[in-house]
Amino acid sequence: MVEDRASIAGLGYEQVRPGMVRPELDGKKVWLYGWAHEIRDLGSLFFIVLRSWDGICQVTFSRSTLEKVYLEALDSLTRESVVRVWGTVRVAPQSRLGVEVKGEGIEIVARAVEKLPYDVTGKVSASMTTRLNYRVLDLRKPVNTSIFLIADTVFEAIREFLRVQGFIEVRTPKIIATATEGGAALFKVDYFGKSAYLAQSPQLYKEELVTVFERVFEIAPYFRAEASHTRRHVSEFTSVDIEAAFMNYEDVMRVLEEMVAYVIKRVVEDRRRELELLGVSLRPPKTPFKRITYDQALKDLEELGHHKSWGGDLETPDLRHLAKKYTGFYFITHFPTAIKPFYIQPDSMNPQVSESFDLMYQWLELASGGTRISDPALLRRRLEEQGLNPESFKHHVEVYSYGMPFHAGWGLGFERLLMVITRLTNIREVILYPRDRFRLTP
Ligand code: AMO
């Protein structure tokens, strides 16, 4: 007879997840829900590798001891079906995991099709396109599940760190009327017959909110119609943003480096199994991170035999050269004012350069930020200099006349940080359902 849940509980079986089965449970009667990751039928013995999000365990059935209804269930079992099994844990030094469940009964909860379009065990390799086409099956691979368990810890550690520093978590609109980070990469939407855009960043709102909460942060998706198809750009990414009153660019750089170091420390402590599955050995970075100015970067490039004229943005080939000298995390500061967004504060001694910075990891840009302009007249002038219409920013600029403190902040690409932590080189791998120029489904 198929036992119901209550009767199994009554018989002294305890519910555990496959990932929780350890040698310490030796002798315990357990019942488990899980996905049939692998199935092996050896005639008298039948093995199922059962999977939960946190691990796998082997369940061994001996046919001669099973009732007919359970034998039928085993014979019709397909990989990736959801099953409920019950049995007794026993230490099994000969098996891969050192422990197994001696199965006493099985019930198929949800049967998967016989012919799966994708091999979850990873024995058959798949291209990135195939992986993303069957993303939910791809995510079930323990190595891929690991990425998102690490992501979960990263989210938690960021929130924890920033809250301790006195930052309030906020949520700003994602449907907006004006561009903040330049017009080219905007997604336009029809908003009841009017034009609206998907937010590229929370920039203007987070700056306004420092006049209320002083320190705010937001972790949210943003949208950029990126024409370039690279391994580090997607159309929908997650940004971790902070903005703080009474801080300048140096203050928020310190918040950023300390946060990154804390996050990595937490991942190292809490996600050992996942890092191991990914084959990553990780150590928290030492702070402070190295700081170089934009001018220094150009000098370094010259020394590396790569000439770059003053004034242009550091492009990928420049950054790849620079990464020969700077490994790990480092900041580049004081970019030319002209290549930074309108809201960045020019240096008061030398307005050609700005109180801005990028956080780099080797050649990958992880974050950018700076001191912001807090004077409304200067903000209006900078909007004009950048060819933007101050009229479109009227409501925003007005706020600067209502008591705007000096302030600074940054935006950190969450997935880019995750790439650094997991050592994965394609941003799509660290996004559950990535969106790029050529992908809108699944
Ligand atoms: P920026 O435009 O540099 O700055 O963006 C901040 C960080 O977000 C990440 N990022 C992306 N990640 C994946 N795909 C993309 N298409 C993409 N675009 C950006 C990067 C980048 O460093 N408002 C400012 C931040 C600030 O000054 O507070 C801003 O948006 O890691």
Side-chain angles (χ1 to χ4, degrees):
M1 255 310 287
V2 175
E3 312 282 344
D4 67 25
R5 279 198 227 177
S7 68
I8 287 179
L11 290 169
Y13 288 78
E14 199 174 297
Q15 188 182 3
V16 294
R17 279 191 309 274
M20 293 158 66
V21 175
R22 302 258 182 290
E24 301 87 82
L25 297 185
D26 191 28
K28 230 184 178 54
K29 283 175 164 303
V30 293
W31 64 277
L32 326 93
Y33 282 118
W35 281 257
H37 189 64
E38 286 178 46
I39 298 170
R40 260 179 310 140
D41 186 356
L42 298 187
S44 60
L45 289 177
F46 195 102
F47 297 98
I48 305 174
V49 174
L50 208 58
R51 191 188 65 241
S52 56
W53 59 270
D54 52 351
I56 54 172
C57 81
Q58 178 169 281
V59 187
T60 307
F61 292 92
S62 162
R63 278 189 195 269
S64 60
T65 62
L66 285 186
E67 283 177 40
K68 188 161 170 272
V69 61
Y70 303 143
L71 289 172
E72 279 168 9
L74 286 183
D75 287 333
S76 70
L77 186 63
T78 51
R79 272 171 37 210
E80 291 308 307
S81 289
V82 180
V83 295
R84 185 164 68 111
V85 304
W86 52 99
T88 309
V89 178
R90 62 179 186 199
V91 170
Q94 78 287 358
S95 84
R96 190 159 40 122
L97 302 161
V99 62
E100 65 177 9
V101 175
K102 166 117 187 55
E104 291 155 22
I106 175 166
E107 177 194 344
I108 299 180
V109 176
R111 201 171 175 281
V113 291
E114 187 89 42
K115 232 179 140 29
L116 286 170
Y118 186 89
D119 175 30
V120 176
T121 64
K123 285 177 184 150
V124 183
S125 69
S127 69
M128 186 60 75
T129 304
T130 306
R131 288 184 51 191
L132 296 180
N133 285 346
Y134 299 103
R135 188 55 163 161
V136 86
L137 289 175
D138 183 53
L139 291 171
R140 291 187 195 177
K141 273 189 195 167
V143 64
N144 296 336
T145 311
S146 293
I147 300 166
F148 298 93
L149 295 177
I150 291 173
D152 181 60
T153 298
V154 175
F155 278 125
E156 190 190 16
I158 290 174
R159 290 200 161 95
E160 207 174 272
F161 179 88
L162 291 175
R163 289 210 174 104
V164 168
Q165 303 281 319
F167 286 83
I168 307 282
E169 184 161 5
V170 296
R171 218 207 127 264
T172 61
K174 304 295 165 252
I175 307 175
I176 56 166
T178 41
T180 49
E181 312 293 338
L186 269 178
F187 281 112
K188 202 171 178 176
V189 292
D190 174 36
Y191 194 70
F192 305 110
K194 279 201 254 170
S195 284
Y197 307 95
L198 296 182
Q200 299 162 301
S201 81
Q203 188 62 38
L204 307 188
Y205 294 104
K206 66 175 180 169
E207 286 193 62
E208 294 186 13
L209 289 173
V210 302
T211 71
V212 185
F213 303 105
E214 297 179 36
R215 296 181 182 189
V216 293
F217 78 100
E218 179 166 14
I219 306 176
Y222 295 98
F223 308 91
R224 302 211 182 168
E226 298 283 357
S228 53
H229 190 68
T230 78
R231 292 162 77 90
R232 61 192 189 288
H233 288 97
V234 276
S235 330
E236 180 176 344
F237 71 101
T238 311
S239 181
V240 179
D241 277 88
I242 75 154
E243 202 65 29
F246 316 116
M247 283 197 187
N248 67 10
Y249 72 105
E250 287 173 321
D251 300 322
V252 293
M253 281 164 73
R254 277 194 289 275
V255 174
L256 180 52
E257 65 195 350
E258 291 304 331
M259 188 188 85
V260 167
Y262 176 72
V263 163
I264 294 178
K265 179 174 157 280
R266 281 289 308 277
V267 170
V268 170
E269 286 168 3
D270 298 356
R271 292 296 180 194
R272 273 219 345 243
R273 184 188 78 97
E274 289 73 17
L275 289 171
E276 249 173 59
L277 272 171
L278 283 158
V280 170
S281 81
L282 192 66
R283 258 186 305 156
K286 289 211 169 55
T287 55
F289 298 161
K290 193 158 184 59
R291 287 144 164 78
I292 59 164
T293 61
Y294 171 89
D295 286 9
Q296 179 65 44
L298 294 198
K299 272 191 212 130
D300 291 328
L301 285 174
E302 201 70 52
E303 272 168 29
L304 291 160
H306 181 82
H307 176 74
K308 172 94 190 168
S309 307
W310 198 92
D313 207 354
L314 297 174
E315 313 281 357
T316 309
D318 311 322
L319 295 169
R320 281 197 186 269
H321 279 288
L322 209 56
K324 290 181 200 150
K325 177 158 181 188
Y326 299 102
T327 52
F329 294 100
Y330 64 101
F331 286 107
I332 307 176
T333 67
H334 297 92
F335 285 87
T337 304
I339 58 168
K340 280 289 164 184
F342 68 90
Y343 48 79
I344 290 283
Q345 175 73 44
D347 185 309
S348 54
M349 306 299 280
N350 175 13
Q352 293 291 95
V353 300
S354 56
E355 295 195 0
S356 58
F357 61 86
D358 280 0
L359 172 65
M360 307 295 303
Y361 184 83
Q362 288 158 9
W363 60 276
L364 185 67
E365 180 199 309
L366 300 183
S368 57
T371 311
R372 320 303 191 179
I373 291 173
S374 44
D375 167 28
L378 178 58
L379 190 64
R380 246 178 255 117
R381 205 176 76 220
R382 287 292 299 137
L383 278 166
E384 276 162 16
E385 279 171 10
Q386 299 242 347
L388 296 162
N389 180 4
E391 197 48 34
S392 319
F393 293 86
K394 198 169 128 239
H395 295 297
H396 179 62
V397 180
E398 263 169 24
V399 173
Y400 287 63
S401 314
Y402 305 157
M404 173 58 88
F406 70 91
H407 60 284
W410 43 254
L412 164 74
F414 179 84
E415 290 88 5
R416 297 227 181 141
L417 178 62
L418 206 52
M419 285 169 77
V420 171
I421 293 174
T422 57
R423 307 272 187 260
L424 291 167
T425 54
N426 191 332
I427 194 166
R428 290 160 189 78
E429 289 193 73
V430 303
I431 300 177
L432 290 169
Y433 296 98
R435 292 284 176 263
D436 65 33
R437 200 173 160 190
F438 304 106
R439 183 171 289 278
L440 193 53
T441 55

